[in-house]
Amino acid sequence: MSDLQKTTDILRDLIGFPTVSVDSNLAMIDHLATLLADAGARIDIQHDPTGKKANLFATLGPEGDGGIILSGHTDVVPVADQDWTSNPFVMEERDGALFGRGTCDMKGFIAACVAMAPTFANAITTRPLHFAFTYDEETGCIGGGALVENLREKGLRPALAIIGEPTEMRVIEGHKGCFEYTTHFTGLEGHGSSPDLGVNAAEYAARYVARLLDLKDRLRARAPADSRFDPPWTTINTGGIHGGVAHNVIPGKAHVDWEMRPVQPGDAELVKRDLHDYCANHLLPAMQAVHPDASIRTETWGEVVGLEPMIENAARDLVMELTGANGADTVPFGTEAGLFQTLGMDVVVCGPGSIAQAHKPDEFIARNQLDQCLKMLHRLTERL
């Protein structure tokens, strides 16, 4: 059986695990652990605090530092309210493309890595090869953060990491961070006919969003002159405003979902400091003048650092050699790559499939993309 057919068969099984971020990924992790153990890998399953999710860290070759990590996340985004033409958790092949939730983001890369595990095992001599498959990347890179912290506690530091997010096999050496928040407003309900007797949480949420819009303009003016990102400045997005129960009721609760994607650490600090001061000095005093128990609280969903482009990056150079690329790019979307970089590793993002297909109904990956990925991994065996 060809490696491409093995990869396709494994991918079909992986798509059958509905690992939406709100659900458990344990069945898929156990399946991957079995496949890698059969190839001779040492298995380390790291559960989250609930015991319902886990990371898989598997190793072929000798113990110790150095070596390479092949990393991907096992969770997928929801399919609810999306108009699919087929069952999203039953992989279908049409016109040279494989359809199903997670095919490109990013179970295709995981399937290729696992299909190649027996070949890797026969090639490894002096340095280890690790497989790092994580949970909850789509909801703040929670699993990736836990895995990196686990490696830090163990004092294990691989040399290189390849993150197989869908880049159409382009070599990516940098991306922005992704900081996600929900800011909660608690006011005082009342009758809509007497607005001064209540604290309208929805209105204060609206003022908060107006401040976010002001910060968007200020950040645009702070774009670094040498920024390689598109757009070149730190962005802010208001993802949702929620509050209220009826036309004639003063909303007692509201919340704003928002995110920012920093291009430089100072921008994130500027935003957080400005919002803190605005709430402490303006919004909250006005709310508490009417209702002393009124409050504003910001919940952090995730603060995932970006992947900083480095002048010297052995992972980038290796993957450029393996793929034949003559340059490396940056992308606007986030990955777990920056987390691995915090360990002092050289990190690159490169994987099969297009980000344009991710998160959409009828998500797919082209078979020729998997074939290109397998060719890269075959060339990697020569370096092991």
Side-chain angles (χ1 to χ4, degrees), residues 212-259:
L212 291 175
L213 295 175
D214 177 65
L215 284 165
K216 286 180 69 170
D217 292 336
R218 291 163 59 187
L219 291 168
R220 184 184 294 257
R222 285 171 55 91
D226 59 349
S227 176
R228 294 172 55 194
F229 295 106
D230 181 19
W233 53 81
T234 294
T235 59
I236 291 178
N237 179 64
T238 303
I241 308 172
H242 312 269
V245 295
H247 290 77
N248 60 350
V249 177
I250 298 170
K253 293 186 181 296
H255 67 268
V256 175
D257 299 322
W258 62 282
E259 64 151 27

Side-chain angles (χ1 to χ4, degrees), residues 137 141 172-179 219-220 223-224 227-236 259-265 267 303-309 329-339 341 349:
E137 188 270 351
C141 294
I172 303 302
E173 63 175 342
H175 63 70
K176 299 179 182 180
C178 184
F179 292 15
L219 291 168
R220 184 184 294 257
S227 176
R228 294 172 55 194
F229 295 106
D230 181 19
W233 53 81
T234 294
T235 59
I236 291 178
E259 64 151 27
M260 62 175 162
R261 298 186 179 243
V263 298
Q264 50 193 352
D267 287 353
E303 293 183 333
V304 182
V305 295
L307 176 62
E308 183 179 353
D329 300 320
T330 62
V331 289
F333 60 86
T335 78
E336 296 170 325
L339 295 170
Q341 194 176 52
V349 182

Side-chain angles (χ1 to χ4, degrees), residues 37-342:
D38 289 345
R42 299 183 296 280
I43 303 299
D44 179 14
I45 296 178
Q46 306 165 6
H47 290 86
D48 79 337
T50 71
K52 296 179 180 179
K53 299 179 182 180
N55 294 321
L56 172 60
F57 191 75
T59 302
L60 291 169
E63 300 279 0
D65 290 338
I68 298 172
I69 289 179
L70 300 175
S71 181
H73 62 81
T74 62
D75 62 316
V76 297
V77 296
V79 299
D81 300 322
Q82 290 189 336
D83 187 16
W84 285 72
T85 58
S86 60
N87 187 331
F89 298 111
V90 177
M91 193 180 79
E92 290 192 7
E93 182 172 359
R94 301 192 296 272
D95 300 322
L98 306 172
F99 291 80
R101 172 56 87 223
T103 45
C104 77
D105 188 21
M106 55 182 299
K107 294 180 178 180
F109 179 74
I110 293 175
C113 292
V114 174
M116 287 291 297
T119 303
F120 290 144
N122 291 329
I124 289 174
T125 55
T126 60
R127 57 179 177 171
L129 178 70
H130 307 284
F131 303 84
F133 301 143
T134 62
Y135 65 87
D136 284 0
E137 188 270 351
E138 298 288 5
T139 55
C141 294
I142 298 170
L147 186 141
V148 166
E149 186 58 34
N150 183 275
L151 294 180
R152 184 177 285 113
E153 291 174 356
K154 291 179 177 178
L156 179 62
R157 194 171 84 178
L160 313 176
I162 300 172
I163 315 300
E165 290 277 4
T167 68
E168 298 178 282
M169 297 307 295
R170 293 163 50 225
V171 180
I172 303 302
E173 63 175 342
H175 63 70
K176 299 179 182 180
C178 184
F179 292 15
E180 296 182 337
Y181 307 97
T182 297
T183 300
H184 300 268
F185 299 82
T186 300
L188 179 65
E189 287 187 342
H191 198 285
S193 64
S194 302
D196 292 343
L197 299 181
V199 177
N200 193 313
E203 291 181 355
Y204 282 97
R207 297 183 191 184
Y208 190 86
V209 171
R211 191 70 172 193
L212 291 175
L213 295 175
D214 177 65
L215 284 165
K216 286 180 69 170
D217 292 336
R218 291 163 59 187
L219 291 168
R220 184 184 294 257
R222 285 171 55 91
D226 59 349
S227 176
R228 294 172 55 194
F229 295 106
D230 181 19
W233 53 81
T234 294
T235 59
I236 291 178
N237 179 64
T238 303
I241 308 172
H242 312 269
V245 295
H247 290 77
N248 60 350
V249 177
I250 298 170
K253 293 186 181 296
H255 67 268
V256 175
D257 299 322
W258 62 282
E259 64 151 27
M260 62 175 162
R261 298 186 179 243
V263 298
Q264 50 193 352
D267 287 353
E269 293 307 313
L270 179 148
V271 169
K272 290 193 285 187
R273 184 173 60 252
D274 181 275
L275 291 171
H276 175 271
D277 292 346
Y278 181 61
C279 290
N281 299 327
H282 298 279
L283 297 187
L284 200 54
M287 296 169 71
Q288 292 181 341
V290 178
H291 181 54
D293 291 334
S295 65
I296 301 173
R297 175 179 62 88
T298 294
E299 177 183 9
T300 300
W301 287 92
E303 293 183 333
V304 182
V305 295
L307 176 62
E308 183 179 353
M310 307 294 287
I311 295 175
E312 296 184 3
N313 184 336
R316 173 201 61 205
D317 297 343
L318 171 64
V319 175
M320 286 176 58
E321 179 183 338
L322 298 178
T323 60
N326 57 11
D329 300 320
T330 62
V331 289
F333 60 86
T335 78
E336 296 170 325
L339 295 170
F340 289 99
Q341 194 176 52
T342 64

Side-chain angles (χ1 to χ4, degrees), residues 321-324 372 374-384:
E321 179 183 338
L322 298 178
T323 60
Q372 289 182 44
L374 288 166
K375 289 177 180 177
M376 178 188 76
L377 296 176
H378 267 290
R379 296 184 186 113
L380 179 62
T381 61
E382 301 169 6
R383 303 294 299 270
L384 295 176

